């Protein structure tokens, strides 16, 4: 895993820690971990998580176009955030 991917995972773990009010270690975020069922993210926390991700990565996320399946597994959220960063960098 390269440094950028490690940094991405650390920032996502930090955002989850803020929202869940419990420590979420980066090593908990395996590609297959289910953020809703295994990490315990509920619907209100999901919205807070989106705001935390926007702050952490300095991106805008269009909540109206979000699909919950993007946040079901860690690997999906990682891909989604990378796309948001790329989109932000091209604008």
């Amino acid at each position: 895993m390269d440094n950028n991917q490690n940094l991405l995972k650390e920032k996502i773990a930090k955002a989850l820690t803020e929202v869940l009010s419990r420590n979420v270690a980066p090593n908990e975020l395996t590609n297959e971990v289910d953020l809703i069922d295994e990490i315990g993210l509920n619907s209100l926390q999901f919205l807070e998580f989106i705001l935390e991700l926007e702050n952490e990565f300095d991106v805008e996320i269009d909540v109206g176009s979000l699909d919950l399946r993007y946040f079901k597994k860690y690997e999906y959220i990682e891909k989604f955030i990378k796309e948001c960063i790329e989109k932000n960098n091209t604008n």
Side-chain angles (χ1 to χ4, degrees):
M1 189 180 301
D2 66 16
N3 285 341
N4 287 340
Q5 200 167 6
N6 282 335
L7 183 59
L8 185 76
K9 189 173 272 197
E10 287 173 15
K11 286 185 170 191
I12 292 171
K14 181 180 176 188
L16 281 168
T17 295
E18 288 293 320
V19 170
L20 295 173
S21 299
R22 73 168 180 86
N23 188 38
V24 177
N27 65 352
E28 285 183 70
L29 300 177
T30 62
N31 281 346
E32 292 299 311
V33 72
D34 186 314
L35 296 178
I36 296 164
D37 294 335
E38 293 175 57
I39 298 293
L41 202 61
N42 67 33
S43 57
L44 179 58
Q45 291 167 330
F46 172 75
L47 294 173
E48 293 173 10
F49 181 51
I50 297 300
L51 294 173
E52 286 295 326
L53 290 173
E54 287 182 324
N55 289 333
E56 260 324 297
F57 293 99
D58 194 29
V59 295
E60 270 190 49
I61 298 173
D62 180 13
V63 180
S65 68
L66 280 180
D67 189 332
L68 187 57
R69 69 177 166 216
Y70 290 131
F71 293 86
K72 186 76 172 153
K73 298 219 181 265
Y74 172 76
E75 68 180 319
Y76 301 157
I77 184 115
E78 184 177 283
K79 181 180 178 195
F80 178 77
I81 290 299
K82 285 178 181 177
E83 290 171 2
C84 287
I85 292 169
E86 287 175 18
K87 188 178 191 181
N88 192 55
N89 288 338
T90 59
N91 290 337

